[in-house]
Amino acid sequence: MTRNMITPTHLIRFFALLLIALPFASIYAQEDLTADQILEILTETMNPEQSQGLMKMTILTSSGQERTFEYETFSKGQGEKSLMKYLKPQRVKGQTILMLNDANDIWTYFPRTKRIRKLATHAKKQKVEGSDFSYEDMGASNTFIEEYDAMRLKDEKKEGRQCYKLELTRHPDSDAGYSRIILWVDKEQYVPLVIDYYHDDDHQLQEKQLICSNIQLIDEIYTPMECTMYNKLDNTHTSMEIVEITYAVDLPDDLFTEMGMQR
Amino acid sequence: MKIITYAIALSMLAASIANAQTADIFGYFEPEYTGIYHDDSYYQFLYNKLRVDLKSTAVKNTEFGADVIFLLYYGKTDWNVLDFLPEDITSTVPPEMRPLYEFTYQDTFYLDNAYARFSLNRFAITGGKQQISLGTGYFANPTDVFNAKDALDPTYEQPGHHGLRMDYLLGSRLSLMALFSPIEMDWETSGKLLRAKLGIGHFDFGAMGIEMPYTLTDFYTFGVSEQTRRSIGGDIVGELLGLGVWAEGLYTFLEEDTNDFYEFLVGTDYTFESGLYTMLEYHHNSQAKSDHENYDLNDWMRFLTGETKTISSDQIYGLITYPLTDLLLLGGSVVFSVSDYSAAIVPMIQYSLFENIELLLMANIYTGEEGTAYSSTLGDGFLLRASVYY
């Protein structure tokens, strides 16, 4: 009877064992994650409910010249709605891009002519202001889940971090801009560190590579503060730096309208 | 309304000075050189344009905006419209009346826009001189009763118009717009416009009713007649079979004339993977003529002064652009008059020299017979424009 009694020593040992065992259990659980589960967590991490930020985009053109843009960005509904308003340079100041339905509906506003133009979805694959990011790269939040089949490959170390490696293959009936995508997702933070994009018509031809770095915890969300898109075909690259960002905002729905574009 | 415009400009200036940190001064400087080959002679025409914009948000929920344009002209600034028209038309003009068709580009500066915009959640009201852009077309906008586009350079900015505009957002993609464009503050003769816009799926639909005063000039006698035009119209933009598609049209009822008329435009575009952009539009104006042999002096003059939008009734517009590099855009457009088989070909090169400096080289080549809408006798030419933004 005495031998079966739970003493304080037993409790201490139990919790000590638990503390040691939990991380292993956690790792074991992570090892069991399927490609779809990883993609879901990644999509949630990268698409918070709402966000407001100030971005700086620097394009290195094929002729070696630099072009720098600054814009405000707003998003709502886990990236389903987004709005970009250019602040610099003066040439494009006030130009606004509104993307709804994961960039399936795009409007652009030109303040100099006070004209709003709706772009058809074929424009989704085009460069935004001559950068190496397409409208689809910037505005489509759910594309990885909805337009691709995901397969988990052998984990790899990338950018000095342990990563899940996923291969996404485009659905046969999808019109997404890339035939195949390979992702390296940080195992702890669920942030993509490297993304290889393959050409629309040739799944062996790498078109672009995105490298994300300087990951910071902002409003409880891991955020890559710098991402650079390398265009392997044009030999250009565009870096995107987050100057300011917050996820603790309550943006009005009417911001994501034609009236909101002109505000 | 002009008094209101100037009051807005002054109050904006005062607010901007008082709150210098909320006032924004920007604009552009634009020198342009135009070379024209006409009647075996070469003419040069140049201008320097400076646009100074001022925008202030010193007062909560309110935006004050204004811009002033300075224009200085050089080169051949004196022209006579009759020099460009077919002989069978100019021969009807008595010699003593020829000077009436002369015009001179004179150095000028003017208040292009001056408005105050108050917005609160789903409601916005804008008063003063402001830009008004209507319609979904690129080359022409039948529903835009305020502006006439230049077929060779259709995206160039339009001047401001006096008006009081109200926008109300009824839903995320449902909005109403009402516009009052006063003429001597008389409700009867002033312009009124009501427009509803609805978005469904990949499409946006617009419907409108317009009542606008209109001035019609008889260019034989230079007499002017006023009329009120009532129009109904609509526009649509969306996507069909992977192509961007749009259309707009306006039907105008004339008060005393039985000759109601209508105008419509349909268009489509597609961007290829390579970045090659292609666009095609068809434009019909029932008020214009389908046989170029019937064009008279009034047709030409009303077209050249912007009183009517086209001289021939049916036109096709094609545009193609290709980004050769990140900074260099090649392209060209063609306006083809289906009515008289004439065409204007407009090749174009646009280069981003620096972050805030753009260069544009554009030519115009007319191919039609004498008397047609795009007759070679109108003279070929080119322009080189630099836009320096600050």
Side-chain angles (χ1 to χ4, degrees), chain B residues 247-307:
Chain B
E248 61 173 296
L250 193 74
Y251 190 93
T252 300
F253 307 91
L254 293 180
E255 256 182 344
E256 292 159 7
D257 199 329
T258 50
N259 294 323
D260 295 351
F261 65 92
Y262 62 93
E263 193 183 339
F264 70 85
L265 175 143
V266 291
T268 183
D269 70 349
Y270 189 76
T271 315
F272 291 88
E273 191 82 17
S274 62
L276 179 73
Y277 175 76
T278 52
M279 179 203 285
L280 203 62
E281 286 187 332
Y282 172 73
H283 178 238
H284 176 77
N285 179 5
S286 78
Q287 200 184 23
K289 289 174 181 167
S290 56
D291 184 351
H292 74 276
E293 290 186 358
N294 293 333
Y295 300 161
D296 60 22
L297 183 66
N298 271 333
D299 295 324
W300 276 106
M301 290 303 294
R302 285 171 185 165
F303 168 60
L304 293 171
T305 56
E307 279 191 15

Side-chain angles (χ1 to χ4, degrees), chain A residues 153-185:
Chain A
L153 305 178
K154 192 168 180 272
D155 296 351
E156 277 182 8
K157 206 170 181 180
K158 205 79 174 173
E159 304 293 305
R161 306 274 301 175
Q162 285 297 331
C163 291
Y164 296 114
K165 185 179 178 184
L166 305 180
E167 183 180 19
L168 311 185
T169 310
R170 187 172 57 189
H171 294 163
D173 56 345
S174 165
D175 64 349
Y178 306 101
S179 59
R180 191 164 70 102
I181 291 170
I182 297 182
L183 288 156
W184 284 264
V185 183

Side-chain angles (χ1 to χ4, degrees), chain B residues 170-213:
Chain B
L170 293 163
S172 63
R173 290 180 67 189
L174 175 62
S175 60
L176 279 179
M177 189 259 270
L179 182 76
F180 174 64
S181 181
I183 305 287
E184 294 169 358
M185 298 309 283
D186 175 16
W187 174 261
E188 284 294 317
T189 56
S190 294
K192 284 141 307 218
L193 185 151
L194 191 65
R195 183 171 193 265
K197 193 172 178 185
L198 172 68
I200 302 173
H202 288 317
F203 282 87
D204 283 346
F205 302 88
M208 65 178 70
I210 307 168
E211 186 178 273
M212 281 293 287

Side-chain angles (χ1 to χ4, degrees), chain A residues 57-69 81 87-94 98 100-101 103-107 109-127 129-132 170 175-178 199-201 207 231 234-237 252-263, chain B residues 24-28 51 55 63 115 117 119-124 131-138 141 144 147 149 155-158 165 167-169 171-173 175-176 195 197 201-204 237-239 242-246 269-277 279 323 325-327 351-358 389-390:
Chain A
M57 186 164 81
T58 307
I59 305 169
L60 184 73
T61 66
S62 49
S63 58
Q65 292 192 58
E66 271 193 9
R67 293 286 184 270
T68 304
F69 297 84
K81 299 171 178 180
L87 303 173
K88 287 179 185 172
Q90 290 299 115
R91 180 172 59 83
V92 295
K93 186 176 179 174
L98 171 66
L100 299 182
N101 305 321
N104 280 314
D105 289 298
I106 306 169
W107 292 262
Y109 169 65
F110 301 94
R112 202 161 294 123
T113 54
K114 295 274 188 290
R115 187 165 279 278
I116 291 173
R117 221 175 142 221
K118 189 175 190 304
L119 306 180
T121 48
H122 54 74
K124 259 174 42 170
K125 298 171 188 175
Q126 296 308 306
K127 296 175 169 192
E129 284 295 345
S131 74
D132 296 297
R170 187 172 57 189
D175 64 349
Y178 306 101
H199 195 269
D200 191 19
D201 298 325
E207 186 179 339
N231 190 318
D234 294 348
N235 200 24
T236 55
H237 68 256
D253 283 329
D254 51 79
L255 177 66
F256 303 93
T257 61
E258 287 194 11
M259 200 187 279
M261 292 174 86
Q262 297 172 65
R263 202 169 290 162
Chain B
D24 199 4
I25 297 173
F26 57 98
Y28 62 83
R51 175 172 161 150
K55 194 173 271 187
E63 175 190 301
Y115 63 88
R117 179 183 163 94
S119 57
L120 198 64
N121 301 327
R122 293 170 166 256
F123 175 75
Q131 279 175 317
I132 300 164
S133 296
L134 298 165
T136 50
Y138 182 89
N141 294 109
D144 191 346
N147 304 297
K149 282 181 168 178
T155 58
Y156 199 77
E157 69 192 26
Q158 299 285 354
R165 173 180 172 155
D167 291 276
Y168 187 69
L169 196 67
S172 63
R173 290 180 67 189
S175 60
L176 279 179
R195 183 171 193 265
K197 193 172 178 185
H202 288 317
F203 282 87
D204 283 346
V237 58
E239 191 173 337
L243 299 171
V245 290
W246 57 88
D269 70 349
Y270 189 76
T271 315
F272 291 88
E273 191 82 17
S274 62
L276 179 73
Y277 175 76
M279 179 203 285
T325 69
D326 301 320
L327 306 174
Y351 182 64
S352 169
L353 186 63
F354 297 107
E355 207 138 60
N356 280 314
I357 301 180
E358 262 182 2
Y389 300 91
Y390 63 89

Side-chain angles (χ1 to χ4, degrees), chain B residues 27-293:
Chain B
Y28 62 83
F29 169 60
E30 187 180 88
E32 182 180 298
Y33 174 91
T34 305
I36 302 155
Y37 295 94
H38 177 249
D39 209 11
D40 295 330
S41 298
Y42 178 70
Y43 302 100
Q44 300 180 83
F45 173 68
L46 303 88
Y47 73 71
N48 285 318
K49 178 179 176 182
L50 177 69
R51 175 172 161 150
V52 182
D53 282 75
L54 192 61
K55 194 173 271 187
S56 168
T57 50
V59 181
K60 196 184 173 192
N61 295 326
T62 307
E63 175 190 301
F64 295 102
D67 71 81
V68 179
I69 289 177
F70 298 82
L71 272 164
L72 303 177
Y73 296 102
Y74 304 92
K76 181 169 170 52
T77 53
D78 298 318
W79 299 87
N80 192 318
V81 179
L82 298 180
D83 293 338
F84 295 87
L85 302 187
E87 204 178 331
D88 60 323
I89 288 175
T90 55
S91 60
T92 63
V93 179
E96 65 274 16
M97 286 191 75
R98 285 187 69 89
L100 295 174
Y101 300 89
E102 286 174 359
F103 65 97
T104 301
Y105 286 97
Q106 288 178 322
D107 296 349
T108 181
F109 77 94
Y110 57 94
L111 189 64
D112 182 36
N113 289 284
Y115 63 88
R117 179 183 163 94
F118 174 77
S119 57
L120 198 64
N121 301 327
R122 293 170 166 256
F123 175 75
I125 184 164
T126 312
K129 200 176 180 195
Q130 56 192 294
Q131 279 175 317
I132 300 164
S133 296
L134 298 165
T136 50
Y138 182 89
F139 148 76
N141 294 109
T143 58
D144 191 346
V145 290
F146 294 92
N147 304 297
K149 282 181 168 178
D150 177 357
L152 306 185
D153 194 7
T155 58
Y156 199 77
E157 69 192 26
Q158 299 285 354
H161 302 274
H162 295 283
L164 183 68
R165 173 180 172 155
M166 281 171 283
D167 291 276
Y168 187 69
L169 196 67
L170 293 163
S172 63
R173 290 180 67 189
L174 175 62
S175 60
L176 279 179
M177 189 259 270
L179 182 76
F180 174 64
S181 181
I183 305 287
E184 294 169 358
M185 298 309 283
D186 175 16
W187 174 261
E188 284 294 317
T189 56
S190 294
K192 284 141 307 218
L193 185 151
L194 191 65
R195 183 171 193 265
K197 193 172 178 185
L198 172 68
I200 302 173
H202 288 317
F203 282 87
D204 283 346
F205 302 88
M208 65 178 70
I210 307 168
E211 186 178 273
M212 281 293 287
Y214 191 80
T215 305
L216 203 64
T217 310
D218 182 334
F219 284 94
Y220 288 103
T221 62
F222 285 88
V224 170
S225 60
E226 304 285 340
Q227 56 181 222
T228 300
R229 291 183 175 179
R230 291 192 179 90
S231 311
I232 53 166
D235 57 61
I236 181 172
V237 58
E239 191 173 337
L240 210 60
L241 305 170
L243 299 171
V245 290
W246 57 88
E248 61 173 296
L250 193 74
Y251 190 93
T252 300
F253 307 91
L254 293 180
E255 256 182 344
E256 292 159 7
D257 199 329
T258 50
N259 294 323
D260 295 351
F261 65 92
Y262 62 93
E263 193 183 339
F264 70 85
L265 175 143
V266 291
T268 183
D269 70 349
Y270 189 76
T271 315
F272 291 88
E273 191 82 17
S274 62
L276 179 73
Y277 175 76
T278 52
M279 179 203 285
L280 203 62
E281 286 187 332
Y282 172 73
H283 178 238
H284 176 77
N285 179 5
S286 78
Q287 200 184 23
K289 289 174 181 167
S290 56
D291 184 351
H292 74 276
E293 290 186 358

